[in-house]
Amino acid sequence: LGHMGRYRVELDLATSPTLRQFYSFHWILAGNLGVDLLILPLGRVFGLEPAVKLIAIAVPVIGAIGLLSTAREVHGALPPTAPAALAFVLGFPLAFGFINFSLGMSLALCAFALCHRLAGRASGVGMSLLFVVISGVLWLCHVYGWALFVVLVVGSELPQKWDARLWWMKFIRLSPLSVPLLPMLLWRSGESSATGRNWFNFSQKIDWIEKTLEDHWRTPDLLMVVAASALLLFALVSKRLEFDRRLKTPMMMLIVAFLIIPEQLLGSSYADARLLPYIFAIGFIAIKPVRASLIAGCATLLFSAKIATFAAGLWFDSRDIDDALVAVTRLPIGARVASIATLPCDGWRLPKLSHIGGLVIVRKQGFSNEQWVGPGLNPLRTTPAYSGPMTRDWSELAKPPSCAMGWPLVSEKLSEVPRTTFDYIWIIDGGHPPVPGAILVGVFGRTSLYKLISDG
């Protein structure tokens, strides 16, 4: 929902004087532009909201195709654990809304399957050119997509027997994979810092493992991760099941990356946790095909459970979103809205409404404080008049008094809202407390909308 606000600015800034009061849009060479680029043609053809829905629907489908194609190319057939791998296409990164990341990772899986099929058929020059094109496209989509592709390609080569001359030739053949390093250095040597935050926090990493399939309900989400972990561990110790080293090695490389990468890297949060669903997925397709009806049944049951809970969660979320968006109909064109979203105390259910303020931009060409505006993050910028306090992402997040845990309280956020910048306050999951200097417009589902009263 938040990304859609940026897409509206991207599509309509040139023709909307209202949006130009609040935002500017300057294309940058960045490894995080997947849907931003796709929305240019698709948004014109289908309209913004239908185009975003089509892309969001396509992403897990592409990921599933990539996983199954990779398994078939490597093994020649699907392993009995393949259905379990598909469950992790619907892991927490997709549920959380990391759409460029999820698209990049899905495309990387498809690209690896394609390259594996062409290996030995295409000429050396042809494969080098293919590596250049694929690496560039994946990096533009999302830097993690390119990184996964490199891990898969290099990791599939590592298990081969050592021969100095052979490996020197392999190094030359695989060197085109590094082409995105140059634009990446340019991207991060300019405006944005590449420093990380929260390194080697292993207690948090254990928590991330538990939340690999986090979405809506703690118990089923956690039970599915436990079941998947047990199935992988059984495969590791079983004499009947065997891992193909061409996929097991990339899985191990991703595990090492997960342990090393900090929680925040290249300006993105959850940098380490995002890898977890793909560690599980690649681990499941790395298992060699055997006749194992019980294992196949368990894998299918896991996938079915994830499909069921994911769909049910979406149904509940859609009702909440529909109820909340009635508030947007009460806003005028160009409304300036400060969202304050209360995060859940249990820290499990993903806060799907926290960026609903983006729909103020989409449907009312207004201003919202929950947009990701920062050096190197994306092409969106706020105008100088709207670059002060409470105007960008994180300013919308709060917690109730019962579990503040370092986050500001809703009451503290209310006192920070600059009255010269905003016309409305939209409280999400925070009840409808009295707001000094404002009148309650209405309660809409789990949200409350207030209109600020001018001093005059």
Side-chain angles (χ1 to χ4, degrees):
L1 300 177
H3 290 302
M4 291 172 69
R6 183 173 75 254
Y7 305 151
R8 173 60 72 201
V9 176
E10 174 187 345
L11 290 174
D12 294 345
L13 185 67
T15 58
S16 173
T18 305
L19 285 175
R20 288 199 296 271
Q21 296 177 59
F22 312 129
Y23 298 106
S24 61
F25 198 89
H26 306 280
W27 285 105
I28 57 175
L29 185 63
N32 185 23
L33 297 176
V35 181
D36 296 73
L37 294 171
L38 283 176
I39 208 67
L40 286 171
L42 296 179
R44 303 293 184 194
V45 174
F46 299 105
L48 174 57
E49 293 186 46
V52 173
K53 290 179 181 180
L54 285 173
I55 294 169
I57 291 169
V59 165
V61 177
I62 295 170
I65 291 171
L67 284 170
L68 296 179
S69 299
T70 295
R72 188 173 289 279
E73 289 300 323
V74 171
H75 303 303
L78 295 179
T81 49
L86 301 186
F88 289 88
V89 174
L90 303 174
F92 108 91
L94 180 70
F96 211 163
F98 295 128
I99 192 66
N100 285 344
F101 168 85
S102 298
L103 176 61
M105 300 296 268
S106 295
L107 291 174
L109 292 165
C110 291
F112 175 70
L114 173 64
C115 290
H116 197 279
R117 166 165 286 199
L118 295 178
R121 303 181 188 178
S123 65
V125 173
M127 287 302 296
S128 295
L129 291 174
L130 186 62
F131 282 156
V132 169
V133 172
I134 288 175
S135 296
V137 170
L138 289 176
W139 182 84
L140 270 178
C141 184
H142 197 279
V143 62
Y144 266 49
W146 165 65
L148 176 63
F149 180 65
V150 172
V151 166
L152 288 168
V153 173
V154 174
S156 66
E157 297 280 355
L158 288 178
Q160 299 184 21
K161 292 183 179 179
W162 172 258
D163 180 283
R165 181 175 176 275
L166 175 64
W167 277 99
W168 178 247
M169 293 175 62
K170 285 185 181 296
F171 175 78
I172 295 174
R173 182 168 61 85
L174 298 178
S175 60
L177 293 170
S178 65
V179 166
L181 287 176
L182 179 58
M184 186 173 179
L185 289 172
L186 294 173
W187 170 35
R188 288 301 173 180
S189 64
E191 296 181 89
S192 184
S193 170
T195 57
R197 187 191 69 186
N198 203 7
W199 295 81
F200 303 114
N201 186 340
F202 292 108
S203 62
Q204 185 184 65
K205 289 180 185 294
I206 293 173
D207 187 47
W208 290 149
I209 295 172
E210 295 176 353
K211 294 183 176 182
T212 304
L213 293 177
E214 178 188 13
D215 182 20
H216 211 280
W217 297 285
R218 179 186 181 92
T219 299
D221 293 346
L222 184 56
L223 284 176
M224 284 184 283
V225 173
V226 171
S229 301
L231 189 56
L232 269 183
L233 289 173
F234 174 77
L236 284 168
V237 301
S238 172
K239 295 181 179 179
R240 186 178 180 189
L241 298 179
E242 184 180 356
F243 286 82
D244 190 298
R245 295 174 65 192
R246 290 170 294 177
L247 288 174
K248 183 180 180 180
T249 303
M251 178 189 72
M252 301 305 296
M253 292 170 69
L254 289 176
I255 291 174
V256 172
F258 167 70
L259 295 174
I260 294 175
I261 290 174
E263 186 270 336
Q264 187 177 68
L265 186 66
L266 299 177
S268 297
S269 298
Y270 307 98
D272 52 351
R274 298 188 198 196
L275 293 174
L276 283 166
Y278 299 92
I279 293 173
F280 277 96
I282 293 171
F284 281 124
I285 64 170
I287 297 170
K288 293 182 178 180
V290 293
R291 287 186 173 273
S293 300
L294 180 60
I295 294 172
C298 291
T300 303
L301 182 62
L302 174 62
F303 176 56
S304 301
K306 183 56 184 173
I307 284 285
T309 57
F310 195 80
L314 287 176
W315 185 77
F316 282 105
D317 293 335
S318 69
R319 293 200 310 173
D320 292 338
I321 291 170
D322 287 343
D323 291 342
L325 286 182
V326 176
V328 178
T329 65
R330 306 289 293 273
L331 297 172
I333 297 296
R336 304 174 302 171
V337 181
S339 300
I340 300 176
T342 306
L343 298 174
C345 280
D346 63 6
W348 190 272
R349 180 178 177 178
L350 292 177
K352 301 288 184 67
L353 296 182
S354 62
H355 281 277
I356 199 169
L359 274 296
V360 173
I361 307 173
V362 172
R363 298 187 177 184
K364 294 296 181 178
Q365 301 181 50
F367 180 78
S368 175
N369 65 314
E370 46 64 65
Q371 289 295 292
W372 299 274
V373 181
L377 290 179
N378 57 63
L380 186 68
R381 298 290 180 272
T382 53
T383 57
Y386 293 91
S387 299
M390 287 287 293
T391 58
R392 60 186 62 191
D393 180 48
W394 284 29
S395 70
E396 81 279 10
L397 299 178
K399 281 212 171 185
S402 57
C403 61
M405 297 189 304
W407 288 92
L409 302 176
V410 174
S411 57
E412 295 171 335
K413 283 292 184 182
L414 287 172
S415 65
E416 295 175 7
V417 177
R419 303 305 172 102
T420 56
T421 305
F422 295 98
D423 309 308
Y424 294 85
I425 295 177
W426 199 3
I427 297 179
I428 299 148
D429 284 330
H432 41 93
V435 178
I439 59 173
L440 178 65
V441 176
V443 177
F444 307 96
R446 290 160 44 194
T447 75
S448 305
L449 182 66
Y450 295 80
K451 179 174 175 54
L452 296 173
I453 303 171
S454 63
D455 294 336

